[in-house]
């Protein structure tokens, strides 16, 4: 048995990947249980989800073939008996016994695992962790925001056993974003010139939800085969609103005030832009010191803030050990947060001239 941790920012594809994995497990004949974490999730799994799955899996079997442990959980009418009060670990163990009789396994997906699910959630994670360690033919897929990684390693619960069990989803490389847009436009019968596709990909910073939003609005609203500069601008504006609603609003609500102040500094400074359009903050000591001086903080304090922003998926470290802003249009988000006006739209024709 094993657990696989999938992390990434909002819209990076965590849920889609877990659902794809659940679909593959189902094709192989495995039992699957897909859980989206929310308040009261432990009680729901304990009293509803697991007992129901156990009954569904045991139904076709003759009761005489069930193991002694399974017989304690299911009564002869096929309904949950005393086992309804059994622990989650015990129910998973019984379910494994039932599935073993059918030469099947269990895939359990725990999506949005970073959410605060209230009392009993730590116990739930500990029980699932024990099941992974002791129950055969069990695969647990966990989808969470990047900050959940810190909790897992701190509490030593459901940690990936190998590097292959830790999947980090991020933004697309610029060339992949361009290819995705090109294929989408071709499928929609749109003729978008190469320079406009390049600009759209650069504005997205490889962030999948923004790419999808821009592509969909163009496919649905363009009057002819060739989008006008105005229609391209509208696509960028729509994509930005999706990004802002999906991520920045949550970000500004949850991050400490000091970390938000650092992000505003980066936005106001117009941080250096690399060739693929990703905002980059150099990790060189001089740049760190300069940033700290501008904020009137010590370099150690700013370094700790940068580390937290990396943990939350706001910044990502590239191969050159530089911290890159992981999401597009950072400055526009702070502008729109500080005023009632709509976020400024980047003009496609201005981008052509630059």
């Amino acid at each position: 048995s094993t657990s696989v941790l999938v992390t990434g920012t909002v819209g990076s594809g965590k849920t889609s990947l877990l659902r794809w994995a659940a679909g593959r497990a189902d094709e192989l004949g495995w039992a699957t249980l897909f859980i989206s974490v929310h308040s009261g999730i432990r009680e729901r799994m304990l009293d509803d989800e697991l007992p129901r799955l156990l009954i569904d899996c045991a139904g076709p079997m003759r009761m005489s073939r069930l193991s002694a442990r399974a017989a304690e959980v299911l009564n002869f009418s096929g309904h949950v008996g005393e086992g309804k009060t059994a622990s989650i670990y015990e129910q998973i163990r019984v379910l494994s016994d039932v599935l073993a009789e059918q030469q099947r396994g269990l895939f359990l997906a725990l999506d949005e695992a970073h959410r605060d699910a209230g009392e009993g959630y730590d116990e739930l994670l500990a029980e699932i962790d024990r099941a992974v360690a002791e129950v055969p033919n069990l695969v647990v897929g966990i989808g969470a925001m990047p900050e959940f990684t810190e909790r897992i390693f701190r509490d030593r619960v459901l940690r990936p056993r190998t590097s292959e069990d830790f999947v980090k989803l991020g933004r697309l490389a610029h060339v992949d974003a361009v290819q995705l847009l090109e294929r989408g436009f071709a499928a929609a019968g749109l003729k978008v010139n190469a320079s406009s596709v390049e600009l759209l990909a650069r504005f997205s910073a490889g962030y999948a939800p923004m790419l999808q939003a821009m592509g969909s609005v163009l496919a649905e609203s363009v009057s002819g085969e060739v989008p006008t500069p105005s229609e391209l601008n509208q696509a960028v504006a729509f994509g930005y609103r999706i990004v802002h609603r999906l991520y920045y609003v949550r970000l500004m609500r949850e991050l400490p005030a000091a970390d938000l102040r650092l992000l505003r500094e980066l936005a106001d400074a117009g941080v250096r832009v690399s060739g693929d359009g990703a905002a980059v903050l150099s990790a060189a000591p001089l740049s760190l010191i300069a940033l700290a001086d501008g904020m009137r903080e010590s370099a150690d304090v700013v370094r700790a803030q940068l580390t937290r922003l990396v943990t939350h998926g706001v910044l990502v470290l590239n191969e050159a050990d530089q911290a890159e802003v992981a999401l597009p249009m950072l400055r526009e988000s702070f502008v729109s947060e500080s005023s009632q006006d709509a976020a400024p739209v980047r003009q496609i024709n201005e981008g052509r001239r630059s």
Side-chain angles (χ1 to χ4, degrees):
S1 297
T2 188
S3 62
V4 178
L5 174 62
V6 181
T7 66
T9 55
V10 174
S12 58
K14 301 181 298 295
T15 300
S16 296
L17 181 57
L18 287 179
R19 290 198 180 280
W20 175 86
R24 287 289 296 133
D26 186 65
E27 290 174 5
L28 293 172
W30 282 37
T32 61
L33 183 59
F34 197 101
I35 298 293
S36 184
V37 171
H38 54 78
S39 180
I41 187 60
R42 184 174 184 276
E43 289 72 20
R44 178 181 168 188
M45 286 187 66
L46 193 68
D47 297 338
D48 183 24
E49 299 285 357
L50 282 171
R52 186 182 304 175
L53 182 60
L54 180 57
I55 292 171
D56 288 345
C57 292
M61 299 178 60
R62 297 175 62 87
M63 289 302 296
S64 60
R65 295 181 57 201
L66 290 177
S67 67
R69 184 183 291 110
E72 293 174 1
V73 175
L74 295 176
N75 61 30
F76 288 100
S77 64
H79 298 291
V80 177
E82 296 300 321
K84 190 171 183 178
T85 59
S87 70
I88 285 176
Y89 162 77
E90 186 66 17
Q91 291 196 44
I92 292 176
R93 181 100 193 186
V94 169
L95 183 56
S96 175
D97 287 350
V98 170
L99 291 171
E101 291 280 347
Q102 304 169 0
Q103 297 183 329
R104 302 165 65 198
L106 170 64
F107 178 80
L108 169 63
L110 201 65
D111 197 21
E112 306 291 350
H114 55 275
R115 288 178 178 168
D116 182 6
E119 185 178 358
Y121 188 46
D122 288 341
E123 185 179 354
L124 166 66
L125 295 178
E127 289 185 83
I128 295 176
D129 183 63
R130 181 186 174 192
V132 170
E134 299 179 9
V135 174
N137 299 325
L138 169 66
V139 174
V140 177
I142 306 157
M145 296 289 284
E147 59 264 31
F148 188 70
T149 307
E150 183 178 349
R151 175 177 181 175
I152 278 183
F153 283 92
R154 181 194 68 214
D155 297 344
R156 304 176 68 83
V157 172
L158 289 173
R159 291 175 301 164
R161 268 56 174 182
T162 68
S163 59
E164 287 79 12
D165 297 333
F166 191 3
V167 181
K168 299 179 183 179
L169 299 179
R171 58 190 179 90
L172 296 174
H174 180 69
V175 64
D176 295 327
V178 168
Q179 290 178 357
L180 183 64
L181 287 172
E182 288 175 338
R183 291 172 183 169
F185 292 149
L190 297 178
K191 298 177 181 178
V192 183
N193 62 49
S195 61
S196 294
V197 173
E198 285 280 338
L199 285 169
L200 291 174
R202 180 157 60 86
F203 292 156
S204 76
Y207 190 55
M210 186 164 181
L211 286 164
Q212 292 169 344
M214 291 190 300
S216 64
V217 76
L218 285 172
E220 294 172 4
S221 64
V222 171
S223 55
E225 289 185 345
V226 182
T228 65
S230 175
E231 288 170 332
L232 291 172
N233 284 329
Q234 290 173 5
V236 173
F238 180 74
Y240 161 75
R241 288 195 294 272
I242 295 296
V243 170
H244 187 78
R245 186 169 67 247
L246 275 178
Y247 195 82
Y248 284 118
V249 171
R250 185 189 75 88
L251 191 68
M252 293 171 186
R253 184 175 64 245
E254 296 181 359
L255 279 180
D259 293 356
L260 286 175
R261 181 169 165 250
L262 173 58
L263 278 180
R264 286 192 176 92
E265 284 286 325
L266 296 179
D268 291 340
V271 290
R272 182 169 63 85
V273 176
S274 66
D276 66 355
V280 175
L281 173 69
S282 172
L286 253 167
S287 297
L288 182 62
I289 291 172
L291 180 61
D293 286 345
M295 296 185 64
R296 297 182 180 179
E297 295 281 4
S298 71
D300 287 341
V301 168
V302 174
R303 184 181 291 108
Q305 288 178 277
L306 291 173
T307 300
R308 283 198 298 273
L309 292 176
V310 170
T311 300
H312 278 76
V314 183
L315 304 178
V316 294
L317 294 178
N318 62 22
E319 294 178 356
D321 200 27
Q322 294 173 323
E324 299 185 3
V325 177
L327 297 170
M329 306 179 85
L330 175 67
R331 187 174 187 278
E332 288 84 344
S333 286
F334 281 113
V335 170
S336 64
E337 277 295 309
S338 59
S339 72
Q340 296 301 313
D341 299 329
V345 177
R346 301 187 184 205
Q347 297 297 319
I348 295 293
N349 51 359
E350 290 179 2
R352 286 202 183 104
R353 291 197 297 268
S354 62

